[in-house]
Amino acid sequence: METAEARYQSLMRAIARHAPTTDIALVDQAYRYADMKHKKQLRKSGEPYIIHPLAVAEIVVEIGLDTDAILAALLHDCLEDTDASFEEIVRLFGRTVAELVEGVTKLTRVNYSTTEEQQMENLRKMFMAMSKDIRVILIKIADRLHNMRTLEYQTPAKQKSKSTETMEIYAPLAHRLGMQKLKWELEDISLQYLDPDGYRQIVDYLQAHKDTDDRFMQSIQQKITDRLESVGIHGTIYGRIKHVYSIYRKLKQQHKTVDELYDLYAFRVIVNDIPDCYNVLGHIHDLFNLVPGRFKDYISTPKPNMYQSLHTTVIGSEGIPFEVQIRTWQMHETAEYGVAAHWKYKQGGEGAGEEKEFEWVRRLLESQQDTEAEDYIHSLKVDMFNDEVFVFTPRGKVISLPAGSTPIDFAYAIHSAVGNSMVGAKVNNRIASFDMKLSNGDIVEVLTSKSAKGPSRDWLKICQSNQARIKIKQWFKKEKREENIVHGKASFEAELRRMSIDPAALQNEDVLPTILRKVSFDSLDDMYAAIGYGGMTAVKCVNRIRDELVKANKSLPGKEQTPKPLQAVGKKQAASANSGVIVEDIGSCLVKFSRCCTPVPGDPIIGFVTKGYGVSIHRCDCPNASPALIERQPDRWVRASWAETTGEESFDTSLEIDCQDRDGLMLDLAMVLTSLKIKVKEISCRSLPDGKAVASLTFTVRNVSELNNVCSKLRTVNGVGAVHRGKS
């Protein structure tokens, strides 16, 4: 078992090797203070607890951080696990160190309703601290790395949960910060616990083929070395087998076994300057056969995490493909330790880093507003951790977006005002549809108009980035509150009816404060508005307050154990199109669908009792079902919902399409509808000034999913801009 003194001496050797300018006296003082505070605590391994802060400090030293960061690493658990106070750390070690320790400290345990909420709050605090001082997250990653190295002492359940969190949050964070060396180790350790059989299979294979692999890599390395020496280029060349998780991921993606995978080898050539990088590239392509489409220049276009290198994949005489990465020594340092290396270069080891360069940290902070925890964690993985696509503005600025992004994502990455006033887009100087998937190197131009109506709700289904989704929701939250309340109320009450709960239960004054507290809103209208713009789902709202609603429901006058079931519309008396609608508290009656908004199954709906014509069904976002109109005649508005249907019924609906006027436009629109086997009732188009046009389509669909599919396909037509629900 390792002693604290042995670990302390290891830290001192690391400081002498990597950070000789460190204030040793302060480090020793911090060690003695932390040791005193943690004196009675042991780790799961039975070792003194102080060994963990010492190990974290050693990792912090190895990645090149300064004295304040080393002190904070030694003290990082004092605020959470001991009686140490913030003020005491300020007095002994300074405010900067105390703020770093506080930033790394986890939130005090709160009874959050879900794991996602706990995780989101911890991440939110971490990102807030990152935005002030990037060293916070570097210490946090070092903390997680040592915990993963000692995970064997935890229970199997804890091993899996920590490994999952590391794989989903911390390893991608290390990647986003450019810290590849730490990322690889975090991934490999996590895989060891998440899929031990898969991990062992790869390790055993690599061990069995070690001699063959070594001979191959030495052969290639010697060829490159000899060529560079012959032309007078001084460089360091070495080869490596790709790390275990990288191989594992390739096997899963390509559905292969280990022995079928050839792309296992990578070589690095490290030279003194950038011209030599490009010279080496020419010699590599002369020595070996280039694999087309596998060359990437991250020197002229660095990744957002500052990574720079030339990547090329070639095939040697043995017929085995391998990757060659070419970079300078400073690029290599940045590739290994990312922002830590960058921070050191910028500040010479003193002061705070250039956090302004990390706009993505601020985007993550923005995106957690008005978002449910589960959605935030999910979108976080998409926005920050997914593969990226790099596109250009017309002026040549590089914009990084999640893979699969569209012009909508690009517009909102520029500015929310650009996205909100967007009416079209050009990709590589050609008009593009809103849902076109952008590719690396595309030049994207956003077409805007002062008279734009703002984003469409359909955009929420099209965009890929959380940044765009959040900004669209914020626009609806601000601009369409009344509409959101109606929409949200209809969705919420539909969910209540699905669970056989009378919406009147919400009027119970004894229960209402408890309900509002549980959903964290000040009023029912605020809750309805949040559901309406997408900040919260009706299902989650109801689930959180189900017990209170059930009790309130039972106390309603005339209620027994379960509320009175809803009465379905009678099919014999109703027209054929009326089947499939349930109207609350009304027996058999005629039902018709309003022509002003043409609702289809899947749309939130509400009913209006007409004089002599039964009930007219409107979409909840229809202008003719506005809150003001409902308030004016509350007795004539009734709750309505879609009943289960056979899926064979068809419903009339209509679309209006903003287009660029051109020959053949109508034919192209008709061809899309024909290819989807949509029954068209009417199609027309009228020209507008400035080369614009508006097309009107009336057709039948079975439900809103089919309608959304039609909208999506229509947007792919050349010249089509926005697609709106229209009048039939």
Side-chain angles (χ1 to χ4, degrees):
M1 186 181 293
E2 188 176 26
T3 65
E5 189 59 32
R7 175 58 75 171
Y8 179 65
Q9 292 305 321
S10 177
L11 172 62
M12 289 296 106
R13 288 192 295 273
I15 289 174
R17 189 165 59 253
H18 298 286
T21 60
T22 299
D23 188 331
I24 298 295
L26 268 179
V27 172
D28 186 72
Q29 182 187 349
Y31 162 59
R32 305 297 168 191
Y33 176 84
D35 189 31
M36 175 189 69
K37 291 295 183 182
H38 291 295
K39 202 67 180 177
K40 297 179 182 179
Q41 298 172 355
L42 297 175
R43 302 202 81 214
K44 294 282 187 182
S45 61
E47 296 172 323
Y49 192 88
I50 189 63
I51 284 179
H52 171 63
L54 284 167
V56 173
E58 189 169 338
I59 296 169
V60 165
V61 169
E62 288 170 354
I63 63 179
L65 295 188
D66 63 348
T67 299
D68 283 347
I70 298 168
L71 300 179
L74 287 166
L75 304 170
H76 78 271
D77 277 334
C78 286
L79 288 182
E80 183 180 9
D81 296 334
T82 76
D83 61 0
S85 68
F86 180 84
E87 292 72 21
E88 187 177 26
I89 294 177
V90 170
R91 180 171 54 81
L92 293 172
F93 304 104
R95 179 163 292 276
T96 299
V97 173
E99 288 176 349
L100 285 172
V101 173
E102 188 178 48
V104 176
T105 300
K106 297 173 190 171
L107 284 179
T108 304
R109 291 296 175 189
V110 179
N111 292 322
Y112 294 105
S113 59
T114 65
T115 304
E116 286 85 3
E117 287 190 9
Q118 176 69 59
Q119 195 177 41
M120 172 174 153
E121 289 300 320
N122 281 323
L123 287 168
R124 183 187 61 79
K125 183 182 181 190
M126 197 160 61
F127 293 144
M128 284 287 287
M130 281 170 66
S131 68
K132 297 174 184 174
D133 193 327
I134 204 73
R135 289 174 292 181
V136 168
I137 192 58
L138 304 181
I139 299 168
K140 186 68 179 173
I141 290 174
D143 172 45
R144 176 51 62 106
L145 179 58
H146 184 252
N147 281 331
M148 294 302 291
R149 287 173 176 174
T150 55
L151 202 57
E152 62 192 277
Y153 300 106
Q154 298 288 350
T155 64
K158 195 80 166 177
Q159 288 171 345
K160 284 201 170 183
S161 68
K162 287 292 182 187
S163 296
T164 300
E165 186 179 49
T166 298
M167 195 70 89
E168 293 183 345
I169 303 296
Y170 289 96
L173 254 177
H175 170 68
R176 200 67 163 84
L177 292 162
M179 307 171 76
Q180 300 305 315
K181 191 171 183 179
L182 275 64
K183 168 187 176 274
W184 292 338
E185 187 175 354
L186 288 170
E187 287 176 337
D188 283 356
I189 297 173
S190 299
L191 179 62
Q192 192 174 345
Y193 293 101
L194 293 175
D195 187 354
D197 292 339
Y199 176 86
R200 178 49 52 194
Q201 179 189 6
I202 295 170
V203 170
D204 289 347
Y205 178 89
L206 294 178
Q207 192 62 39
H209 292 77
K210 186 175 186 306
D211 292 342
T212 306
D213 291 339
D214 286 347
R215 283 195 298 272
F216 172 75
M217 287 190 291
Q218 286 170 8
S219 161
I220 297 297
Q221 185 172 330
Q222 193 60 50
K223 284 183 182 178
I224 298 174
T225 302
D226 292 345
R227 170 59 72 92
L228 297 190
E229 285 180 352
S230 71
V231 295
I233 296 176
H234 300 289
T236 298
I237 301 102
Y238 67 92
R240 63 176 178 84
I241 300 289
K242 293 191 175 180
H243 71 292
V244 176
Y245 179 68
S246 176
I247 297 171
Y248 178 87
R249 191 173 57 189
K250 279 183 177 293
L251 295 178
K252 294 295 182 184
Q253 289 173 345
Q254 299 177 16
H255 305 290
K256 292 182 177 179
T257 59
V258 189
D259 54 344
E260 293 175 318
L261 197 65
Y262 288 103
D263 190 12
L264 294 176
Y265 311 98
F267 292 84
R268 287 203 183 122
V269 182
I270 307 172
V271 293
N272 295 325
D273 54 41
I274 291 176
D276 276 351
C277 290
Y278 290 97
N279 286 336
V280 169
L281 178 68
H283 289 291
I284 295 295
H285 286 171
D286 185 45
L287 276 173
F288 309 104
N289 294 321
L290 171 69
V291 176
R294 296 295 300 272
F295 167 67
K296 294 176 182 175
D297 184 349
Y298 294 121
I299 292 180
S300 63
T301 308
K303 290 186 176 184
N305 61 11
M306 301 162 301
Y307 178 87
Q308 287 183 285
S309 192
L310 297 176
H311 287 199
T312 186
T313 300
V314 294
I315 300 176
S317 57
E318 299 86 349
I320 299 174
F322 56 90
E323 184 179 58
V324 181
Q325 300 170 358
I326 308 163
R327 59 180 70 144
T328 66
W329 283 104
Q330 182 167 335
M331 291 174 193
H332 179 64
E333 184 93 354
T334 301
E336 293 284 297
Y337 296 113
V339 64
H342 172 76
W343 189 91
K344 181 172 65 173
Y345 284 127
K346 282 284 186 184
Q347 300 300 326
E350 299 295 332
E354 294 284 327
E355 284 75 32
K356 65 181 182 181
E357 298 187 11
F358 303 101
E359 294 179 7
W360 58 274
V361 175
R362 282 197 297 277
R363 290 206 302 267
L364 294 172
L365 285 170
E366 289 174 8
S367 67
Q368 58 89 23
Q369 301 170 12
D370 305 319
T371 309
E372 286 190 82
E374 187 177 334
D375 293 338
Y376 178 65
I377 296 299
H378 170 73
S379 57
L380 186 72
K381 296 167 191 173
V382 173
D383 253 18
M384 193 175 73
F385 309 149
N386 227 5
D387 291 336
E388 295 168 315
V389 60
F390 301 95
V391 296
F392 295 89
T393 67
R395 294 187 178 183
K397 181 182 177 182
V398 180
I399 303 293
S400 168
L401 298 168
S405 287
T406 66
I408 296 173
D409 299 286
F410 177 87
Y412 281 101
I414 300 296
H415 196 278
S416 55
V418 175
N420 293 338
S421 59
M422 178 180 180
V423 294
K426 288 183 178 180
V427 176
N428 302 325
N429 212 31
R430 298 182 64 183
I431 293 292
S433 62
F434 283 8
D435 61 353
M436 176 183 176
K437 304 296 183 189
L438 299 178
S439 302
N440 279 319
D442 281 345
I443 300 172
V444 186
E445 179 184 356
V446 179
L447 307 177
T448 60
S449 170
K450 291 181 179 179
S451 60
K453 299 176 183 177
S456 160
R457 290 189 187 275
D458 290 339
W459 291 10
L460 291 169
K461 302 185 183 81
I462 297 171
C463 62
Q464 293 294 309
S465 66
N466 188 49
Q467 181 187 13
R469 197 171 289 110
I470 291 299
K471 288 180 176 178
I472 293 169
K473 287 180 180 179
Q474 287 173 345
W475 185 88
F476 278 105
K477 179 183 180 182
K478 181 180 178 182
E479 303 291 336
K480 302 281 186 178
R481 178 174 169 81
E482 295 303 317
E483 177 185 314
N484 291 333
I485 290 173
V486 175
H487 190 175
K489 184 176 182 181
S491 298
F492 182 78
E493 293 184 349
E495 182 60 22
L496 290 183
R497 288 195 297 273
R498 191 182 69 79
M499 301 184 70
S500 299
I501 296 173
D502 191 331
L506 284 170
Q507 307 307 317
N508 187 322
E509 293 183 1
D510 296 330
V511 174
L512 188 57
T514 305
I515 287 173
L516 292 174
R517 187 171 63 254
K518 283 206 167 190
V519 293
S520 304
F521 290 106
D522 295 329
S523 69
L524 286 177
D525 277 357
D526 288 345
M527 181 184 75
Y528 294 148
I531 295 171
Y533 72 76
M536 170 84 79
T537 65
V539 172
K540 289 192 175 174
C541 273
V542 173
N543 285 340
R544 287 186 186 180
I545 58 179
R546 179 170 48 195
D547 293 343
E548 286 74 16
L549 288 172
V550 168
K551 290 176 187 175
N553 190 73
K554 290 178 181 178
S555 67
L556 288 174
K559 290 286 180 183
E560 298 177 2
Q561 291 302 310
T562 56
K564 180 178 66 177
L566 300 173
Q567 299 177 29
V569 175
K571 293 185 179 181
K572 289 183 180 178
Q573 289 182 293
S576 61
N578 295 340
S579 60
V581 174
I582 297 173
V583 180
E584 185 173 341
D585 296 329
I586 294 181
S588 297
C589 67
L590 286 172
V591 170
K592 66 175 183 177
F593 295 97
S594 62
R595 294 174 60 82
C596 55
C597 58
T598 60
V600 297
D603 287 324
I605 53 174
I606 190 168
F608 180 75
V609 180
T610 62
K611 295 181 180 179
Y613 293 99
V615 176
S616 177
I617 302 298
H618 294 258
R619 295 206 321 262
C620 288
D621 58 358
C622 176
N624 291 326
S626 67
L629 291 173
I630 294 173
E631 202 170 304
R632 196 177 304 159
Q633 296 178 299
D635 295 339
R636 297 185 65 180
W637 291 94
V638 292
R639 286 181 283 269
S641 62
W642 298 100
E644 291 187 12
T645 67
T646 63
E648 297 302 319
E649 296 91 341
S650 293
F651 298 80
D652 288 353
T653 190
S654 56
L655 296 173
E656 286 193 354
I657 307 172
D658 298 335
C659 318
Q660 298 287 332
D661 201 0
R662 63 172 177 82
D663 292 339
L665 175 64
M666 291 284 287
L667 178 60
D668 289 347
L669 296 175
M671 288 293 289
V672 168
L673 297 171
T674 301
S675 68
L676 294 172
K677 298 182 180 176
I678 296 296
K679 182 180 178 182
V680 180
K681 291 195 167 184
E682 184 181 334
I683 182 167
S684 62
C685 187
R686 67 181 188 276
S687 296
L688 299 175
D690 303 324
K692 305 287 186 182
V694 174
S696 299
L697 312 175
T698 302
F699 50 91
T700 61
V701 291
R702 288 186 291 273
N703 51 47
V704 75
S705 296
E706 186 175 23
L707 177 58
N708 288 337
N709 185 44
V710 172
C711 294
S712 178
K713 296 296 184 185
L714 288 171
R715 290 190 189 96
T716 65
V717 174
N718 183 27
V720 167
V723 178
H724 310 283
R725 298 282 291 272
K727 300 178 182 180
S728 64

